[in-house]
Amino acid sequence: MLSWKEPQENTPMRHSRSSALVAGRSVAPTGTGGGLLPTRDLAAAWLLVVLIAVPAWVLTIGQARDMGVEPGTMGMALPLFLLLWVTMMAAMMLPSMAPVAITWVRGIGRQSSGWARTARTVEFVAGYLLVWTAFGLLAYAALAFTGSLVDDHPATGRWIGSVGFLLAGLYQLGPLKTVCLRHCRDPLGHLVRYSGFRAPARDLRVGLHHGAYCVGCCAGLMVVLVPLGVMNVAAMAGLAVVIFVEKLWSRGPLLARAVGVVFLVLAVLAPFQDWLLPGLRDSMPSMDDM
């Protein structure tokens, strides 16, 4: 049986075999003896991740404190929303995607220097953030639509919340989540694939490709920000922990399914428990008034 340290040929057949083995064993992508970087380099890289993620969280928390939790887009114009969205995604996603990002950027550093290295790194990061920005456009449209419904018909908030939890739960248990999570948990496998990408814009393509799988892995979790509130710091922190553990824990797929079941339970409870819907609870009438 192949181990993480054995060299692998860059062929479709070999890549499929290695991915199947990883999925079957449900091995965490990092760990003792299986890391993609030496321990010393890994520690330095994680320190850099912390130095980037902490300011992103500080900015996010500060903005959330000023805005509070309300339905819809909370009056934000699209450019401001996208700016806050990208900051939120940097805070929430960076720790979980760090193993791949660190390894790829380190490879860029070995192959180029000076402005070329800087340009390639910017390409990679831009590709990743571009995908999340596109998803932010969908999020803005969904929040604007649901916010408008809640403003015009407050009673619909509880049903919007229920549908949101239902969609999130079904997505967590669905095949697309499984495929994307398997990709995110197999850094060696897709780094081998990325090495076959060719110029031009190779690093941009890598960022776009990995970002697309990351969005696919986390889309269901992002849906619950509609009922919970897009600027709900507690919800963001909880989702960030779930995302991190799903991708890096050996039993991450089991956690993903368990979270999906929890969302389905919340979908049943949401119409009767207003406290589950802080992001939709704007003058929401009680069930007795309906």
Side-chain angles (χ1 to χ4, degrees):
M1 181 175 291
L2 293 174
S3 68
W4 283 93
K5 292 185 177 181
E6 293 183 24
Q8 299 183 24
E9 299 175 12
N10 189 17
T11 63
M13 182 178 297
R14 191 70 176 223
H15 177 69
S16 299
R17 289 177 59 192
S18 63
S19 297
L21 284 172
V22 170
R25 292 166 57 192
S26 188
V27 177
T30 58
T32 304
L36 297 178
L37 294 174
T39 302
R40 185 175 179 179
D41 291 345
L42 188 62
W46 274 108
L47 178 60
L48 180 60
V49 168
V50 171
L51 292 177
I52 297 174
V54 168
W57 273 109
V58 170
L59 290 173
T60 300
I61 293 172
Q63 191 63 41
R65 183 176 299 172
D66 293 338
M67 299 179 66
V69 179
E70 298 177 7
T73 62
M74 296 173 288
M76 285 186 287
L78 179 59
L80 176 59
F81 176 86
L82 291 178
L83 178 61
L84 291 176
W85 178 263
V86 170
T87 303
M88 287 168 51
M89 293 307 103
M92 296 174 65
M93 303 297 166
L94 185 58
S96 61
M97 60 90 65
V100 174
I102 290 169
T103 306
W104 186 257
V105 171
R106 189 168 180 261
I108 291 175
R110 288 197 299 264
Q111 298 170 9
S112 55
S113 60
W115 286 107
R117 177 173 57 192
T118 301
R120 290 188 60 189
T121 302
V122 169
E123 274 191 33
F124 170 75
V125 175
Y128 183 83
L129 293 180
L130 184 61
V131 177
W132 275 108
T133 302
F135 188 76
L137 292 173
L138 297 177
Y140 186 85
L143 289 167
F145 177 70
T146 56
S148 177
L149 284 179
V150 171
D151 288 341
D152 295 338
H153 308 284
T156 61
R158 64 182 79 257
W159 304 111
I160 293 172
S162 180
V163 171
F165 283 125
L166 176 63
L167 292 176
L170 293 177
Y171 190 91
Q172 284 288 111
L173 299 172
L176 184 57
K177 168 73 177 191
T178 301
V179 170
C180 293
L181 181 59
R182 183 182 300 124
H183 171 96
C184 291
R185 290 174 52 78
D186 180 16
L188 181 59
H190 53 260
L191 283 171
V192 170
R193 177 178 180 179
Y194 292 159
S195 67
F197 284 14
R198 295 290 180 262
R202 173 190 183 188
D203 301 289
L204 178 66
R205 290 176 57 203
V206 172
L208 289 169
H209 188 270
H210 186 60
Y213 271 99
C214 191
V215 167
C217 184
C218 304
L221 298 173
M222 296 297 105
V223 169
V224 301
L225 289 177
V226 173
L228 296 180
V230 70
M231 296 304 293
N232 186 330
V233 174
M236 286 188 282
L239 292 176
V241 171
V242 170
I243 292 167
F244 183 84
V245 176
E246 276 186 354
K247 293 183 179 182
L248 301 182
W249 186 35
S250 61
R251 301 197 179 189
L254 179 61
L255 174 64
R257 290 191 289 272
V259 170
V261 172
V262 170
F263 286 161
L264 294 179
V265 172
L266 293 178
V268 175
L269 297 177
F272 311 99
Q273 303 292 331
D274 293 349
W275 63 272
L276 292 174
L277 309 171
L280 296 167
R281 205 169 55 199
D282 185 21
S283 302
M284 187 184 297
S286 65
M287 289 293 289
D288 296 335
D289 296 334
M290 293 178 59

